């Protein structure tokens, strides 16, 4: 892996993390930011109950509106996800998502590393359809209000970023701990252990945001191209890809997070990731590696 | 296709904003989400 590329990407990921969670001074008191920016959606998965969070989680926002008494679908959240997706696709996951960064960092913990069977990749679409879109609308109380089912039953980001810190600073909340917290803590532990062993375990198996952005990889402006004239089918890009994507066979794979590791690995400079260029146009001559 | 999706996104955002969805999101986001932190 190219050191400069790794440093550049980590730097941007940390900057994105800082932009998503700038209100660090809220942690000791367990307060939440209450300013006007909280109504706007973060591109990545970041719980709005995190004391440091500036923006709203897009998945939480989607469920909040669709579970409300007034509306059954959030055009605003869907529009924001569509906008992020059509511009960046799953590059949001690779460069901007705070929880993605967290998983990459804990994957560095020394342990046996494993791949992921392809069948597991479809689970996140079921999570999206059932927990994010369906349950907040159909599982309603007597007032017609639904709960954010993904946030309530699955999301480990909420447990990690919000639950642990807020339970530490709010003793009155600790008195209401029950089996639901046990379930969410168990999922968080499972995700952490999974991420240590499997690269970006949550992103690939459970994340509904990754599911949405992945669907838009085919049309996103930020895209990946392989120059067939330069490619020698050496598979260096496939071996370098930690999401187990073959960029030559599936440049628009729904699993590609546009991290650029394949670009760095290609000995023939045959891969481009970015906004410009059309398919089939030769990349500029540069010294081959 | 991209242009259509981008325009649709703008339309969705404007419509959602106009009908007051931002207020619902803000109200949810500025209070501790008990479901999110595992307290139901």
């Amino acid at each position: 892996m190219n050191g400069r590329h790794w440093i550049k990407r980590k730097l941007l990921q940390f900057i994105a993390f800082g932009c998503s969670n700038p209100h660090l001074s809220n942690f000791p008191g367990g307060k939440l930011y209450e300013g006007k920016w909280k109504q706007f959606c973060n591109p990545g998965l970041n719980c709005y109950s995190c004391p440091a969070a500036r923006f709203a989680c897009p998945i939480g926002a989607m469920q909040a509106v669709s579970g409300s008494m007034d509306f059954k679908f959030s055009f605003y959240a869907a529009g924001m996800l569509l906008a992020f997706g059509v511009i960046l696709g799953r590059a949001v996951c690779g460069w901007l998502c705070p929880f993605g960064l967290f998983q990459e960092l804990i994957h560095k913990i020394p342990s046996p590393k494993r791949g992921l069977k392809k069948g597991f990749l479809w689970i996140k679409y079921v999570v999206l359809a059932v927990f994010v879109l369906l349950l907040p609308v159909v599982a309603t109380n007597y007032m017609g209000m639904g709960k954010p089912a993904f946030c309530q039953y699955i999301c480990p980001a909420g447990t990690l970023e919000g639950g642990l810190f807020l339970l530490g600073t709010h003793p009155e909340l600790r008195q209401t701990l029950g089996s639901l917290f046990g379930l969410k803590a168990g999922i968080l532990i499972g995700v952490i252990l999974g991420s240590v062993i499997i690269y970006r375990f949550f992103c690939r198996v459970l994340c509904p945001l990754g599911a949405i952005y992945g669907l838009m990889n085919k049309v996103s402006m930020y895209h990946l191209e392989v120059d067939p004239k330069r490619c020698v089918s050496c598979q260096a890009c496939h071996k370098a890809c930690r999401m187990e994507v073959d960029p030559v066979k599936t440049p628009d794979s729904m699993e590609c997070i546009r991290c650029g590791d394949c670009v760095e690995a290609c000995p023939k400079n045959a891969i481009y990731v970015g906004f410009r260029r059309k398919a089939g146009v030769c990349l500029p001559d540069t010294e081959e590696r | 296709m991209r242009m259509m999706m981008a325009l649709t996104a703008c339309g969705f955002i404007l419509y959602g904003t106009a009908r007051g969805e931002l207020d619902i999101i803000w109200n949810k986001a500025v209070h501790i989400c008990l479901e999110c932190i595992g307290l139901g």
Side-chain angles (χ1 to χ4, degrees):
Chain A
M1 195 191 315
N2 184 299
R4 275 177 60 184
H5 170 69
W6 187 88
I7 289 169
K8 176 182 128 185
R9 187 161 156 263
K10 278 293 158 289
L11 193 60
L12 277 165
Q13 284 179 290
F14 273 106
I15 290 171
F17 186 96
C19 290
S20 300
N21 296 288
H23 302 287
L24 299 175
S25 58
N26 283 345
F27 275 118
K31 298 185 303 178
L32 300 187
Y33 167 69
E34 295 179 2
K36 62 179 181 182
W37 294 105
K38 225 37 181 320
Q39 61 189 329
F40 301 116
C41 287
N42 202 54
L45 195 78
N46 196 64
C47 186
Y48 43 43
S49 281
C50 172
R54 167 176 280 165
F55 303 108
C57 173
I59 298 294
M62 173 71 78
Q63 294 170 95
V65 174
S66 59
S68 69
M69 284 190 290
D70 304 314
F71 308 116
K72 290 300 152 198
F73 179 75
S74 175
F75 282 96
Y76 168 75
M80 290 301 293
L81 290 171
L82 204 55
F84 289 134
V86 89
I87 296 171
L88 293 170
R90 247 191 131 169
V92 174
C93 306
W95 294 81
L96 301 178
C97 181
F99 202 66
L101 171 62
F102 170 72
Q103 291 172 79
E104 287 192 7
L105 293 174
I106 62 172
H107 189 66
K108 292 288 183 194
I109 295 170
S111 81
K113 305 299 179 191
R114 295 280 180 269
L116 188 69
K117 283 193 168 43
K118 290 219 180 317
F120 287 102
L121 300 176
W122 294 103
I123 295 174
K124 57 183 177 288
Y125 297 97
V126 177
V127 170
L128 171 64
V130 174
F131 286 86
V132 177
L133 298 175
L134 189 65
L135 284 177
V137 176
V138 303
T140 56
N141 60 16
Y142 66 96
M143 288 196 292
M145 296 179 71
K147 288 201 174 183
F150 173 76
C151 302
Q152 183 172 11
Y153 295 113
I154 297 178
C155 186
T159 316
L160 178 68
E161 296 173 357
L164 295 181
F165 292 106
L166 291 172
L167 287 169
T169 51
H170 292 264
E172 71 278 12
L173 293 178
R174 289 199 287 272
Q175 293 171 13
T176 63
L177 281 175
S179 55
L180 180 64
F181 186 79
L183 168 69
K184 290 205 75 188
I187 290 174
L188 174 62
I189 290 168
V191 164
I192 288 173
L193 291 174
S195 297
V196 171
I197 297 168
I198 299 170
Y199 182 72
R200 287 207 175 219
F201 172 76
F202 175 77
C203 300
R204 297 161 80 182
V205 177
L206 290 173
C207 185
L209 204 49
I212 293 169
Y213 290 145
L215 290 169
M216 286 189 264
N217 258 3
K218 275 200 190 309
V219 297
S220 60
M221 296 173 191
Y222 193 81
H223 65 287
L224 186 150
E225 282 186 31
V226 179
D227 188 341
K229 295 187 182 71
R230 290 178 181 234
C231 178
V232 295
S233 303
C234 65
Q235 293 278 296
C237 52
H238 188 23
K239 289 184 192 123
C241 181
R242 289 173 291 172
M243 296 294 278
E244 299 179 77
V245 171
D246 184 340
V248 176
K249 282 195 186 139
T250 51
D252 294 327
S253 168
M254 294 191 289
E255 298 303 312
C256 177
I257 59 172
R258 310 307 195 203
C259 65
D261 284 355
C262 54
V263 177
E264 299 301 314
C266 179
K268 298 296 182 186
N269 195 32
I271 302 178
Y272 169 78
V273 177
F275 284 107
R276 294 181 300 169
R277 298 204 176 109
K278 296 176 188 173
V281 174
C282 279
L283 296 166
D285 284 330
T286 55
E287 196 175 326
E288 290 180 0
R289 297 194 186 89
Chain B
M1 176 77 160
R2 278 182 198 151
M3 195 52 69
M4 269 184 58
M5 289 181 76
L7 287 171
T8 304
C10 290
F12 275 19
I13 292 167
L14 288 171
Y15 180 62
T17 306
R19 70 177 194 166
E21 288 181 24
L22 292 187
D23 291 333
I24 296 174
I25 293 168
W26 182 86
N27 193 48
K28 181 74 180 177
V30 297
H31 297 101
I32 293 175
C33 173
L34 295 177
E35 295 94 351
C36 303
I37 65 172
L39 298 183

